[in-house]
Every structure is written in C-alpha cells, then in structure tokens.
C-alpha cells in the first residue's frame, strides 16, 4: 500500500494525561495520518524538562537527516512556549513551512503578552485560531491576515446523533440546570450555587444538577454549599454514555467559568444534544452560542440577576425552551459543518510545499 501525502512533523502533548488540549491533539493527529506521513514528537510533560529536551534532539536529528515537508505544532502556554519556539526556529532554518495551532487565550489577553510570539519565525508561520476572536487577538502580535486560519474544535467532535425529542416539560416542573466540569472555584461552581440559591427569591423553580469530579482544594466548601442548596444534587463524574445521559436529562447548561477559556468542548457537546447554554463571555464562547440558543454575558457583580433573567423564559414557557433546543442543535450542526470544511482545507494545505 502506497504511503499517503506529505511528510509532516507533529509536535504537541498527547494523552495521557487526558485533558482538552491533549485530546484535541490526539484527534488532530488521527486526521493528519489519514492523508499524510506523520512523525510524532509527543510533548506531554511525563519526563519533566529533560523529556522536552530529548524530544527536541530527536526532532533535530530527524529534520537534519530528512527535511520533512512541514511542521505542525500545538502551541503550549506559559514558559513551555520557549521549548516550542526551539522547534519552530529549527524548522524555519531548514526551510520547512510551519503551522502553529493555538488552543489558549492565556497569552492573548491584556497584561500577559507572549515574548515568543514576537519572534520573526513565528510571524512567518501559518497560525490556526479557534475562532475569529482569537484571530483578532493574534493580529495584535503582527500576524498578517493572510497567515491566519480559523478552525473550531467542532471539527473533531464525534458524529453526535440529533437528540430524541422529549415530551414537553410541564410549566410547573422545575427547570433542570446543569453544571458539567471539573469542580473548582475557577470553573464557577460557587457562582452556580449562588444562582440556584437565589432562584426562589426571583420566583423561579430551578433544579440544579452538578456533574464532575470535585477538586480536593474545594471539597469542604463544596459539600457545605451543596448541603445548603437543597434544590441541587451532585451526581459525580460522568463519561461516555453517562455524560450523554446527563446532557439528555437537563434543560439548560450553565457554564460559569472564570478562567481564560478558549473554546470549551462541553459547550459544543451541549449544543449538539439540543441543550441551550448560559455562560460568561470568555474566549470564543460569545460566538459559539447564538441568542436563540441561550445567553452569553461578561462576568460581573450582576451575574446572578443576569443568569436568572436568561433562564426565566425557559422556566416560564415550555415552547420557548423547545425553540431554544432546536436553535442549539442547529448552531452545532452549522458550526461543525464549517469547521470540518476548514479542517479539510488545512490538512490539504499542509501537503502543498
């Protein structure tokens, strides 16, 4: 069997450990291998700094011997960007086209600039952003528009079947509001509890359902909040079929993260299951959730009132919830179709030298 495509070097962390960054890298690698010959340099932090050095030495030996057709690198955040830069510099010295895939807003916001992104070698690369907002932030580093590509993580999601139409929710039944994440203060679990606790004062009947593992540093505070919020239950971590069942059981997903989120896969999955989303504006989130499928607003001291006002139409009118469910699924399908077309174009571009 003839080996396909071009010779691509892939640099980035792969599972284990499993998290959003490594999992998307794994899926990108699988797609690349369908069309190209790929040499992998796994940057998962298993061997500390020495492991990264050894991977760079392997890379150097490989590119000096073979001169691959292109380098694909999933850019890290923080100090590990300097290691990534070493790969980029060597690739550019060998005349290899470089494709830099961005997965984080941590170095794209005010106050936390990346010195690595100022290097000319980075300016000459093709930069892959998760959304237009991320592309605009990259432009602040002097990346020319012709060097920017947009590729949503929706391209890598499994083919999620349309949700089964459920019987209409009775207007008297509590609105089931879900939280799905690792349970930490930064992910907004205590903001979630605040909203559920205040619901009665706003005349709303809500039932909170929390799914996810509890981080040890908030375990005690979490249990206290859970015990004092009787309209909320915790079902523990959910994966695979259990996660699908969870998403199929809730009416709305509340995603109150305060982290510099990029493009949360949890939101994409909720939309795929026809679940409207209420979230704080972070990273790409504002462009992920259309007004017909939920609400996105900046985190502020008014978040409780804003969240409950966003939930009110769904709680009061089952027809409004049904329409939002349909809009959520349509948003996912549109997002995924565009993303898969972008992925196909990008993979083909990597093979053109």
């Amino acid at each position: 069997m003839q080996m396909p495509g071009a010779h691509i070097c892939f640099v980035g962390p792969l599972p284990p450990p499993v998290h959003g960054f490594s999992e998307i890298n794994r899926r990108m690698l699988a797609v690349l291998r369908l069309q190209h010959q790929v040499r992998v340099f796994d940057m998962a932090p298993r061997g500390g700094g020495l492991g990264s050095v050894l991977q760079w030495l392997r890379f150097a030996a490989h590119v000096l011997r073979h001169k691959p057709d292109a380098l694909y690198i999933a850019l890290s955040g923080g100090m590990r960007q300097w290691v990534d830069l070493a790969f980029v510099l060597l690739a550019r010295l060998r005349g290899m086209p470089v494709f830099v895939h961005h997965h984080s807003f941590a170095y794209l916001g005010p106050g936390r600039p990346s010195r690595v992104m100022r290097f000319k070698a980075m300016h000459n690369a093709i930069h892959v952003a998760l959304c237009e907002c991320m592309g605009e932030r990259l432009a602040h580093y002097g990346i020319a528009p012709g060097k920017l590509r947009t590729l949503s993580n929706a391209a890598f999601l499994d083919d999620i079947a349309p949700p089964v139409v459920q019987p209409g929710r009775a207007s008297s039944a509590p609105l089931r509001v879900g939280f799905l994440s690792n349970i930490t203060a930064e992910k907004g679990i205590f903001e979630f509890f605040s909203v559920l606790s205040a619901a009665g004062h706003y005349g709303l009947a809500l039932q909170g359902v929390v799914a996810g593992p509890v981080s040890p540093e908030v375990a005690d505070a979490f249990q206290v909040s859970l015990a004092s919020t009787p309209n909320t239950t915790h079902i523990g971590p959910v994966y695979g079929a259990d996660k699908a069942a969870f998403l199929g059981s809730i009416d709305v997903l509340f995603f109150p993260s305060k982290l510099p989120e990029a493009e949360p896969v949890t939101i994409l999955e909720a939309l795929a299951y026809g679940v409207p989303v209420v979230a704080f504006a972070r990273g790409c989130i504002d462009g992920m959730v259309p007004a017909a499928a939920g609400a996105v607003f900046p985190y502020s001291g008014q978040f409780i009132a804003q969240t409950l006002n966003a939930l009110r139409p769904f709680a009061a009118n089952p027809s409004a919830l049904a329409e939002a469910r349909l809009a959520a699924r349509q948003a996912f399908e549109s997002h995924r179709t565009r993303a898969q077309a972008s992925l196909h174009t990008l993979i083909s571009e990597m093979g053109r030298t």
Side-chain angles (χ1 to χ4, degrees):
M1 180 177 177
Q2 185 178 3
M3 289 298 292
H7 178 188
I8 308 294
C9 286
F10 176 101
V11 176
L14 295 167
V18 178
H19 45 72
F21 186 25
S22 66
E23 178 59 20
I24 292 297
N25 286 341
R26 182 189 70 80
R27 297 187 186 199
M28 181 66 174
L29 176 59
V31 175
L32 276 170
R33 279 175 164 162
L34 293 177
Q35 193 163 325
H36 300 302
Q37 303 171 52
V38 185
R39 183 65 175 263
V40 177
F41 301 89
D42 184 1
M43 300 300 290
R46 302 188 194 97
L50 179 59
S52 298
V53 171
L54 290 176
Q55 289 289 46
W56 186 86
L57 291 173
R58 287 182 57 240
F59 174 77
H62 183 71
V63 302
L64 292 174
R65 187 181 306 120
H66 299 288
K67 191 184 177 183
D69 296 306
L71 166 66
Y72 168 90
I73 185 163
L75 193 68
S76 301
M79 296 302 293
R80 289 183 65 86
Q81 283 192 354
W82 291 102
V83 178
D84 293 342
L85 177 63
F87 285 88
V88 173
L89 289 173
L90 182 55
R92 294 305 300 156
L93 285 173
R94 289 290 285 158
M96 295 166 53
V98 175
F99 294 79
V100 180
H101 198 160
H102 299 267
H103 295 267
S104 172
F105 274 79
Y107 50 91
L108 298 179
R112 300 183 66 183
S114 166
R115 294 174 62 189
V116 167
M117 288 296 298
R118 302 291 184 187
F119 277 72
K120 184 178 179 180
M122 298 298 283
H123 289 191
N124 290 333
I126 297 296
H127 291 263
V128 183
L130 295 174
C131 60
E132 291 183 4
C133 176
M134 178 178 276
E136 292 170 359
R137 300 281 187 90
L138 286 168
H140 294 164
Y141 283 109
I143 307 301
K147 295 289 188 179
L148 288 171
R149 308 289 184 269
T150 302
L151 176 62
S152 165
N153 285 333
F156 303 104
L157 292 190
D158 296 331
D159 188 12
I160 299 172
V164 176
V165 177
Q166 299 291 338
R169 183 183 64 87
S171 57
S172 60
L175 187 76
R176 289 176 61 84
V177 181
F179 177 99
L180 175 60
S181 177
N182 291 326
I183 296 172
T184 66
E186 293 78 12
K187 279 291 188 178
I189 186 60
F190 299 112
E191 282 72 15
F192 184 89
F193 281 126
S194 296
V195 167
L196 269 293
S197 296
H201 297 294
Y202 283 75
L204 292 180
L206 304 183
Q207 175 62 51
V209 186
V210 176
V214 181
S215 181
E217 61 263 24
V218 300
D220 292 341
F222 173 79
Q223 291 300 330
V224 170
S225 296
L226 184 64
S228 62
T229 314
N231 61 336
T232 300
T233 58
H234 178 221
I235 62 173
V238 291
Y239 305 101
D242 290 336
K243 181 167 69 171
F246 167 79
L247 290 169
S249 72
I250 62 175
D251 297 313
V252 181
L253 178 75
F254 181 30
F255 193 87
S257 177
K258 297 174 290 181
L259 291 171
E261 299 283 350
E263 190 191 32
V265 172
T266 296
I267 290 179
L268 292 171
E269 290 175 330
L271 296 173
Y273 281 94
V275 178
V277 176
V278 176
F280 298 154
R282 290 285 190 272
C284 299
I285 295 176
D286 201 22
M288 297 170 67
V289 183
V296 179
F297 45 84
Y299 174 68
S300 72
Q302 304 302 313
F303 78 89
I304 294 176
Q306 287 177 290
T307 303
L308 291 170
N309 286 334
L311 295 173
R312 186 179 300 279
F314 305 141
N317 187 349
S319 296
L321 178 59
E323 292 173 2
R325 282 187 172 280
L326 179 60
R329 176 65 192 190
Q330 290 173 339
F332 168 76
E333 291 177 350
S334 175
H335 211 52
R336 186 167 181 260
T337 298
R338 292 195 306 271
Q340 289 183 329
S342 297
L343 177 60
H344 176 77
T345 300
L346 180 65
I347 296 297
S348 297
E349 184 178 3
M350 288 186 199
R352 296 196 294 268
T353 58

